Amino acid sequence: MSTVLLLFYVLSAVTLATAFLTIYTKNPIHSAIYLVICMVSIMGHYLLFNAQFLALVQLIVYAGAIMVLFLFTLMLMNLNKEDEVHKPRMTRYAAIIIFIMLCGVLVYVFTDTKPIVGEYDSTGEDFQSIKILGKVLLNEYMVPFEFASILLLAAMLGVVLVSKKEKDAN
C-alpha cells in the first residue's frame, strides 16, 4: 500500500471521527474544537489533491475565521448547564447506530471500487496559480466578489448590533 493511500485513509478516519464527535459531545466548546480538527483534516485532503490554494483557504477561512466566529457566538450565548436541554438516550444510541451503518457503507463503497486511471484533456493552463486565479476573480467575477464582501460586512455589523447591550432607561 502506498503512503498516499495510507495517508488518505488516516485523514478520512480523522475526518469522520471528529465530525461524529462534533455532533455527539455535550460541551459546545469541545464541539467547536473537534470541528476545527475536522476542517484541518479536510485541508489535508486538499493537499492530497494537489490543490494548495484551496488547502490554504480551508485553513485560513474555515478553520481560522469561521471557527473564531463560532466561538464568539458560543461565548456570547453564555450557555449554562441549567439551560441545557436533555435529550433522551435513545436519540444518542440512534445516532451511534446510524454513524456505524454509514461508516460501513462508506468502507464497502471505497473497498469495492477501482480507481479511474486514464488520460484526460488538458488546456495547458495551470489553474493552481495564484496569478491566474487573481485575474479570473478580479476580471470576470469582480461584481460577485464585491457583493460577497459587502454581504460579509453587513453580517459583521449585524453581529455587533445584536451583541450590543441595551442601556436601562431608569
Side-chain angles (χ1 to χ4, degrees):
M1 185 183 309
S2 70
T3 57
V4 174
L5 190 60
L6 181 66
L7 187 60
F8 172 76
Y9 284 140
V10 168
L11 283 173
S12 297
V14 168
T15 303
L16 286 174
T18 55
F20 177 73
L21 287 172
T22 299
I23 297 169
Y24 191 71
T25 55
K26 288 183 180 180
N27 190 342
I29 302 297
H30 291 164
S31 290
I33 291 170
Y34 286 132
L35 190 57
V36 168
I37 296 170
C38 184
M39 301 271 185
V40 170
S41 65
I42 290 171
M43 181 198 76
H45 285 286
Y46 284 137
L47 287 175
L48 286 178
F49 287 141
N50 199 21
Q52 291 87 8
F53 179 73
L54 284 178
L56 287 176
V57 167
Q58 176 78 17
L59 180 68
I60 294 169
V61 173
Y62 289 111
I66 300 297
M67 289 314 301
V68 166
L69 288 176
F70 279 177
L71 288 175
F72 280 156
T73 304
L74 288 173
M75 290 177 186
L76 276 173
M77 288 171 54
N78 195 15
L79 298 174
N80 296 325
K81 286 282 188 185
E82 305 85 53
D83 300 335
E84 185 176 320
V85 177
H86 294 288
K87 296 180 183 172
R89 288 183 187 249
M90 284 305 294
T91 57
R92 298 186 84 158
Y93 292 139
I96 291 172
I97 291 170
I98 290 171
F99 175 74
I100 291 171
M101 288 172 34
L102 180 66
C103 286
V105 168
L106 288 175
V107 165
Y108 173 75
V109 166
F110 284 125
T111 56
D112 196 37
T113 59
K114 303 287 184 239
I116 299 172
V117 180
E119 294 294 321
Y120 57 92
D121 296 334
S122 176
T123 60
E125 281 190 85
D126 180 23
F127 288 108
Q128 288 295 318
S129 171
I130 303 294
K131 187 176 183 181
I132 293 172
L133 187 63
K135 282 182 184 178
V136 168
L137 265 181
L138 296 176
N139 288 335
E140 296 175 28
Y141 296 105
M142 180 67 165
V143 175
F145 188 75
E146 290 300 321
F147 280 151
S149 66
I150 291 171
L151 180 67
L152 288 173
L153 178 66
M156 191 169 47
L157 289 174
V159 167
V160 168
L161 289 175
V162 166
S163 67
K164 191 175 175 183
K165 302 250 189 231
E166 290 187 27
K167 295 180 182 178
D168 290 336
N170 295 333

